[in-house]
């Protein structure tokens, strides 16, 4: 397989873009091989199960490292020509119990580090902590992206919106206008629309112990200039913010609330169904997805409850949900209870 990939790249050296499709076919075939699936399954298990498999320990290590190497070479080629190398679109290794990414999975990373092969996995992008002063993220409470690949982050602690480029470099920050000098605005969510306008969910605070429970949503231009703001219709702990392709604004508290493009209230739904709703997102087909303490609820674009499903782990606080448009996946994030570990679960939109 290595030679096949190398031959494909050499044949298209004058036009690397032509190598991406055949190389992706190669990596998909490679990751689906039973020998590869078994080797990854056994290599990543602990205890007595780790010594059982089709191959010896040395053979398994060779397969493991070679597969990671080939995946990373094709990843580099894809990134070089600007193709999609996102983990949601990368062919996984399906062991039956798990779908493993040879590029991004933390367990794979741990094995490669032990073998001094740290250059064969993809390091996750991290930003906002090495910066100083106003550039540093203190308590991020919402993140969105725009068409330019920038990250827009709302910082709860200082009430600022901070913008980073696609590589994580700080670009700028801006504060939200506030006429009441006796309050500060705490940010509870951030979203963008198809025109790169920025929406910020805020909760005015008189002090740390006295939230006013009268949330506002600010609409800003893509450069951060104030455009409009409106007050949500009830006093509630609103969480989460999402904007549809048609410009409708959704947020969630005791129920989901929908506002039109003129920020007029349209409808609310889910109050008798949702229990401790935490976040909301919208799929490309208009369906609304809400994560609460019991799982994920799916509503039609008109607010009809369609179904719900439980999440895999019982030892996690799931607090965020988003829809990955390119791969059309639902991504739910949370933290392991009592541990400093992030947990992600990914589902198809159906």
């Amino acid at each position: 397989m290595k030679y096949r990939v190398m031959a494909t790249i050499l044949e298209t050296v004058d036009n690397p873009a032509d190598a991406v499709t055949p190389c992706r076919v190669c990596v998909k075939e490679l990751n689906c091989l039973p020998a590869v699936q078994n080797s990854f399954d056994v290599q990543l298990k602990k205890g007595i199960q780790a010594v059982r498999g089709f191959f010896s320990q040395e053979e398994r290590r060779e397969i493991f490292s070679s597969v990671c190497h080939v995946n990373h070479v094709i990843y580099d080629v894809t990134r070089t020509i600007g193709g999609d190398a996102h983990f949601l679109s990368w062919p996984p290794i399906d062991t039956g119990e798990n779908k493993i990414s040879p590029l991004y999975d933390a367990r794979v990373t741990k094995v490669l580090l032990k073998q001094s092969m740290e250059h064969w996995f993809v390091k996750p992008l991290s930003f906002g902590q090495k910066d100083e002063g106003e550039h540093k993220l203190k308590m991020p409470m919402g993140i969105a992206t725009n068409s330019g690949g920038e990250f827009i982050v709302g910082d709860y602690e200082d009430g600022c919106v901070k913008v980073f480029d696609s590589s994580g470099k700080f670009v700028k920050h801006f504060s939200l206008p506030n006429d009441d000098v006796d309050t500060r605005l705490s940010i509870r969510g951030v979203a963008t629309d198809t025109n790169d306008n920025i929406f910020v969910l805020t909760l005015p605070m008189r002090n740390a112990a006295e939230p006013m429970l009268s949330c506002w949503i600010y609409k800003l231009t893509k450069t951060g200039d104030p455009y409009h703001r409106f007050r949500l219709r009830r006093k509630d702990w609103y969480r989460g913010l999402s904007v549809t392709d048609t410009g409708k604004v959704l947020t969630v508290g005791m129920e989901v609330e929908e506002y039109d493009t003129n920020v007029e209230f349209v409808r609310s739904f889910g109050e008798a169904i949702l229990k401790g709703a935490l976040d909301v997102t919208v799929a490309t087909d208009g369906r609304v997805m809400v994560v609460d303490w019991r799982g994920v609820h799916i509503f039609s674009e008109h607010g009809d409850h369609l179904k719900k499903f439980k999440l895999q782990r019982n030892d996690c606080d799931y607090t965020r949900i988003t829809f990955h448009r390119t791969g059309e996946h639902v991504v739910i994030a949370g933290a392991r209870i009592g541990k400093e570990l992030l947990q992600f679960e990914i589902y198809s939109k159906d």
Side-chain angles (χ1 to χ4, degrees):
M1 184 63 74
K2 283 185 179 180
Y3 298 114
R4 182 177 165 189
V5 171
M6 291 171 60
T8 300
I9 295 172
L10 289 173
E11 288 173 357
T12 58
V13 67
D14 293 329
N15 190 5
D18 292 342
V20 173
T21 299
C23 281
R24 288 293 287 266
V25 172
C26 289
V27 79
K28 186 174 183 179
E29 292 177 355
L30 174 65
N31 292 354
C32 288
L33 290 174
V36 171
Q37 294 169 339
N38 177 264
S39 295
F40 271 73
D41 184 38
V42 175
Q43 188 73 26
L44 298 181
K45 285 182 176 178
K46 298 180 180 179
I48 191 170
Q49 296 180 82
V51 300
R52 297 173 181 170
F54 298 155
F55 306 97
S56 68
Q57 188 176 34
E58 287 303 317
E59 289 173 326
R60 191 169 61 245
R61 285 180 178 175
E62 175 61 27
I63 293 172
F64 190 93
S65 60
S66 296
V67 169
C68 291
H69 187 195
V70 171
N71 273 264
H72 203 283
V73 168
I74 298 175
Y75 169 85
D76 286 339
V77 172
T78 305
R79 289 292 301 272
T80 298
I81 59 94
D84 181 16
H86 195 277
F87 78 95
L88 288 175
S89 62
W90 199 263
I93 297 171
D94 191 346
T95 65
E97 297 179 5
N98 294 288
K99 290 186 177 180
I100 302 166
S101 169
L103 293 175
Y104 299 94
D105 195 293
R107 295 166 297 176
V108 174
T109 299
K110 187 175 181 179
V111 173
L112 291 175
L113 285 172
K114 287 183 178 179
Q115 299 179 15
S116 300
M117 298 176 180
E118 61 275 3
H119 49 288
W120 288 354
F121 64 84
V122 179
K123 295 180 180 179
L125 176 63
S126 175
F127 57 89
Q129 289 303 300
K130 294 182 179 180
D131 299 299
E132 297 181 357
E134 61 190 18
H135 299 177
K136 186 175 182 178
L137 291 174
K138 301 175 178 66
M139 190 181 293
M141 283 292 287
I143 185 169
T145 58
N146 59 24
S147 60
E150 293 178 323
F151 298 98
I152 297 95
V153 185
D155 201 321
Y156 177 90
E157 185 168 320
D158 61 17
C160 288
V161 177
K162 301 173 183 180
V163 182
F164 301 82
D165 67 17
S166 58
S167 66
K169 182 180 179 181
F170 179 81
V171 177
K172 61 183 177 181
H173 84 284
F174 48 86
S175 301
L176 301 172
N178 182 17
D179 299 329
D180 189 347
V181 295
D182 295 324
T183 66
R184 70 175 183 87
L185 297 176
S186 62
I187 295 176
R188 299 184 61 81
V190 177
T192 54
D193 65 12
T194 54
N195 295 317
D196 288 341
N197 293 311
I198 302 168
F199 296 77
V200 186
L201 174 63
T202 66
L203 175 66
M205 306 276 287
R206 294 199 187 280
N207 54 59
E210 190 181 353
M212 297 175 66
L213 291 183
S214 296
C215 288
W216 293 75
I217 291 179
Y218 285 74
K219 181 179 180 181
L220 313 166
T221 66
K222 61 183 179 181
T223 57
D225 298 319
Y227 177 76
H228 188 68
R229 72 170 184 168
F230 62 97
R231 186 174 182 173
L232 300 181
R233 69 189 191 100
R234 62 193 296 175
K235 290 188 175 182
D236 196 357
W237 287 99
Y238 287 92
R239 305 174 183 88
L241 185 64
S242 189
V243 183
T244 70
D245 289 345
T246 57
K248 295 178 181 178
V249 180
L250 297 172
T251 187
V252 64
M254 295 178 62
E255 58 188 350
V256 179
E257 292 185 10
E258 178 185 322
Y259 296 82
D260 64 19
T261 54
N262 296 316
V263 297
E264 296 291 334
F265 175 75
V266 177
R267 65 171 66 89
S268 63
F269 52 89
E271 183 172 10
I273 298 170
L274 300 172
K275 302 297 181 183
L278 298 166
D279 199 10
V280 61
T281 191
V282 183
T284 49
D285 58 8
R287 287 183 298 168
V288 179
M289 303 179 183
V290 181
V291 61
D292 71 3
W293 293 340
R294 301 183 301 176
V296 175
H297 295 266
I298 301 178
F299 299 86
S300 73
E301 60 180 320
H302 304 296
D304 302 314
H305 190 252
L306 302 177
K307 61 180 178 180
K308 79 165 189 175
F309 62 89
K310 292 184 178 181
L311 299 170
Q312 294 180 2
R313 301 190 68 98
N314 296 320
D315 61 344
C316 285
D317 285 329
Y318 296 97
T319 58
R320 293 294 178 182
I321 185 171
T322 192
F323 187 78
H324 183 256
R325 293 176 173 272
T326 304
E328 295 202 321
H329 291 87
V330 185
V331 183
I332 301 100
R336 297 274 188 92
I337 298 173
K339 298 180 180 180
E340 294 184 356
L341 292 174
L342 292 176
Q343 174 74 19
F344 292 90
E345 294 189 17
I346 303 169
Y347 300 85
S348 67
K349 69 174 184 179
D350 300 319

